[in-house]
Amino acid sequence: MFNWCAVLVLLPLEVATGYLYHLTGALVKGMKLQGENVKVEMLTALTRPLTELIVQVNREVITDIAMAPNATRESSVLRRWCEVVMTQFNVQVTRYRPLIVDCSKVARDSPFYSSCTQDGDATFTGSGHQAEQFFIGWNETEVVNKTLRRTRCGNLFAQSDLGDRTAGIILLILAITVILSSLFGVVKILNSLLKGPVAKVIQKTVNADLPGRLAYFTGYLALLVGCGLTIVIQSSSVFTSTLTPLVGVGVVSVERMYPMTLGSNLGTTVTGLLAALSTRGGHLDQAMQIALVHLFFNISGVLLFFPVPITRFPIDLAKTLGRVTAKFRWFAGVYLAGMFLVLPGLVFSLSLAGWPWLLGLGGFLLVFVLAVTAVNVIQVKKPQWLPWKLRNWDFLPKFMHSLTPYDYVLSCACVKDKCHRSAGEAHVTSPADEHSEEMRDLLSQPSKTSLGRLHSHNDFEYV
């Protein structure tokens, strides 16, 4: 939710003003960057011994392909030969080149005169003159490289002759399997360890505020902790994926997790800065500028949605999304597919159609979503500000303001009902059955709005 809010604010601002481009450009010019190939390593020094047992890559080939895709077709990204002994020797080679001679222009003292005057098959030029073809030969000395001995590397993939594409697919599947297995393992271990007194002690420690007047700075301390740990492990995904189960078992609160996640977003920009420092070629300034864009984008987002408590609404949005997902488990897959595939694809398609389409249709959809969101917030916070009809969405068809009809289909409840009916079970509908789910929702959040809805549906006596 923080990332979405940051993009919705900062992307239009950047398109309109280009402040990130100009700010980072000025910083890069002031740095006066010199030199290349600065190699900075932290966590990779610890993980390389293990990864090199599985696969080794030619990093120079990757860079060459990125800079000139057609220049290294014969090169292999996979490194198979660690020791190659070669020698060079000279070879005499005779070269030949064809030569067409126009016999009408050959003089008597020319070496080609006898060939032109001999009887035999002759060819003719476009002007009708007789022509002869000769071959001119000469000797050259060519340097030949010969491999005397080569030794395969010790990694697993070096022992096979798989191509880069096949090996890459296998490595991708292996990497995803390892990541998912590790995350599931972390969740299971944390669930088993953080129980009873241990969970209570950690909960009091992590969720506690600093004493006295320093309590205001507790969130900033959590932000620094998230930033520092992410810099150490060089992965915000690993950091947040490790803390998420702690929130799930109730050890860490969502409010405390929020600044730690923002700090993790800041810490992960250090990885981009290190990658920019190791850039090869004359593009160090450009690499550093885009790394600084990443840094200041996250800093801008933190300044927008953290210092002032009222602007920390991504927390409420996340809680709402969590409640919906907990009630309708299929919603998680729909959310991922919609927000990370369908929506970017739609925006990309509109951008290809042209800026008028993107601003027209995309702007209308954005304004519509913001308006509906504003009405939803007012319905909860200040319903008296709205007309009576807009204090809830019951005037709309149920499929337009509730996920229950979709859940009825996706959870196969409709199939179960058909099976019960086919089995001869009597199905009697009562007023209580019709409104039971709505009553549960209303009673779970009692408010003036809920009582008003009860009166409007004449269900108060039933309750």
Side-chain angles (χ1 to χ4, degrees):
M1 291 295 100
F2 167 77
N3 289 334
W4 279 118
C5 292
V7 169
L8 288 176
V9 174
L10 296 178
L11 179 59
L13 181 63
E14 175 66 19
V15 172
T17 65
Y19 87 101
L20 286 175
Y21 174 79
H22 297 298
L23 173 62
T24 56
L27 290 175
V28 170
K29 289 181 181 179
M31 292 179 181
K32 297 180 180 179
L33 297 173
Q34 301 290 336
E36 307 170 351
N37 300 331
V38 180
K39 196 172 184 180
V40 183
E41 296 180 351
M42 292 175 63
L43 189 63
T44 54
L46 301 176
T47 59
R48 183 182 296 107
L50 177 61
T51 57
E52 287 189 348
L53 294 176
I54 301 174
V55 65
Q56 291 176 271
V57 298
N58 294 316
R59 300 186 182 277
E60 294 79 9
V61 174
I62 296 178
T63 304
D64 293 339
I65 293 175
M67 300 302 296
N70 297 325
T72 54
R73 291 182 176 178
E74 303 299 328
S75 301
S76 174
V77 176
L78 290 177
R79 186 180 179 187
R80 292 186 173 87
W81 310 102
C82 288
E83 181 184 2
V84 180
V85 179
M86 303 184 68
T87 185
Q88 293 182 344
F89 56 91
N90 298 328
V91 177
Q92 295 295 327
V93 180
T94 302
R95 306 290 187 185
Y96 294 94
R97 182 172 63 86
L99 177 65
I100 303 297
V101 177
D102 186 354
C103 292
S104 62
K105 299 179 181 180
V106 174
R108 288 182 175 274
D109 56 349
S110 172
F112 304 109
Y113 182 78
S114 59
S115 298
C116 287
T117 55
Q118 290 180 357
D119 295 333
D121 296 335
T123 57
F124 295 89
T125 63
S127 58
H129 298 150
Q130 181 181 352
E132 292 288 344
Q133 181 178 1
F134 301 91
F135 289 91
I136 299 176
W138 69 94
N139 294 327
E140 275 187 357
T141 301
E142 187 177 80
V143 179
V144 178
N145 296 322
K146 182 179 181 181
T147 302
L148 298 179
R149 185 179 70 257
R150 60 181 182 176
T151 305
R152 286 184 181 267
C153 298
N155 63 83
L156 179 62
F157 279 85
Q159 309 304 318
S160 67
D161 293 325
L162 296 175
D164 287 349
R165 188 184 302 274
T166 305
I169 294 174
I170 295 175
L171 284 170
L172 176 63
I173 297 174
L174 178 63
I176 293 176
T177 303
V178 171
I179 289 175
L180 295 180
S181 301
S182 300
L183 291 177
F184 282 118
V186 167
V187 173
K188 294 296 182 181
I189 292 174
L190 291 177
N191 281 330
S192 61
L193 291 179
L194 301 178
K195 292 181 179 180
V198 177
K200 293 181 180 179
V201 172
I202 298 178
Q203 185 176 14
K204 292 180 179 179
T205 303
V206 176
N207 296 323
D209 293 333
L210 294 175
R213 296 181 178 179
L214 297 177
Y216 175 79
F217 299 97
T218 303
Y220 294 94
L221 178 61
L223 190 148
L224 292 176
V225 170
C227 180
L229 292 177
T230 304
I231 291 175
V232 172
I233 63 178
Q234 296 187 36
S235 175
S236 60
S237 300
V238 172
F239 177 76
T240 55
S241 299
T242 304
L243 285 184
T244 298
L246 298 180
V247 180
V249 299
V251 174
V252 180
S253 65
V254 177
E255 288 75 11
R256 185 52 45 83
M257 176 73 173
Y258 180 64
M260 298 178 74
T261 303
L262 268 58
S264 179
N265 283 356
L266 294 177
T268 194
T269 61
V270 175
T271 305
L273 293 172
L274 295 177
L277 289 174
S278 61
T279 301
R280 190 181 74 175
H283 303 278
L284 178 59
D285 55 343
Q286 298 176 13
M288 181 58 66
Q289 183 174 359
I290 196 62
L292 290 175
V293 168
H294 186 201
L295 172 63
F296 281 98
F297 174 85
N298 285 285
I299 291 177
S300 302
V302 171
L303 294 177
L304 283 174
F305 301 111
F306 184 72
V308 182
I310 197 174
T311 61
R312 299 175 185 175
F313 52 83
I315 298 177
D316 295 329
L317 295 176
K319 288 183 176 180
T320 302
L321 185 63
R323 285 193 294 267
V324 174
T325 307
K327 185 176 180 180
F328 306 104
R329 296 299 180 92
W330 51 265
F331 182 77
V334 174
Y335 171 79
L336 291 175
M339 302 302 283
F340 294 97
L341 293 177
V342 177
L343 180 61
L346 176 62
V347 174
F348 181 69
S349 301
L350 291 176
S351 66
L352 292 179
W355 280 104
W357 284 93
L358 182 60
L359 293 177
L361 183 56
F364 170 76
L365 293 177
L366 179 60
V367 172
F368 176 77
V369 171
L370 293 178
V372 172
T373 303
V375 172
N376 280 325
V377 172
I378 298 175
Q379 285 177 348
V380 176
K381 301 293 183 181
K382 298 289 183 180
Q384 64 273 16
W385 291 1
L386 297 172
W388 181 260
K389 194 170 186 179
L390 281 180
R391 294 183 181 181
N392 55 64
W393 300 108
D394 291 343
F395 64 91
L396 296 174
K398 194 169 185 179
F399 71 90
M400 296 182 67
H401 65 91
S402 174
L403 294 177
T404 303
Y406 304 100
D407 183 66
Y408 183 72
V409 176
L410 296 176
S411 63
C412 299
C414 56
V415 178
K416 296 178 182 178
D417 288 349
K418 290 181 180 179
C419 293
H420 290 321
R421 292 191 184 97
S422 62
E425 293 185 10
H427 185 78
V428 181
T429 302
S430 64
D433 292 332
E434 293 178 354
H435 301 295
S436 59
E437 182 174 357
E438 185 177 4
M439 293 302 102
R440 284 196 299 270
D441 294 338
L442 294 174
L443 292 175
S444 63
Q445 298 178 350
S447 64
K448 294 181 181 180
T449 305
S450 300
L451 293 178
R453 291 175 63 185
L454 291 174
H455 281 296
S456 66
H457 285 83
N458 298 322
D459 290 325
F460 189 79
E461 294 79 8
Y462 166 70
V463 174

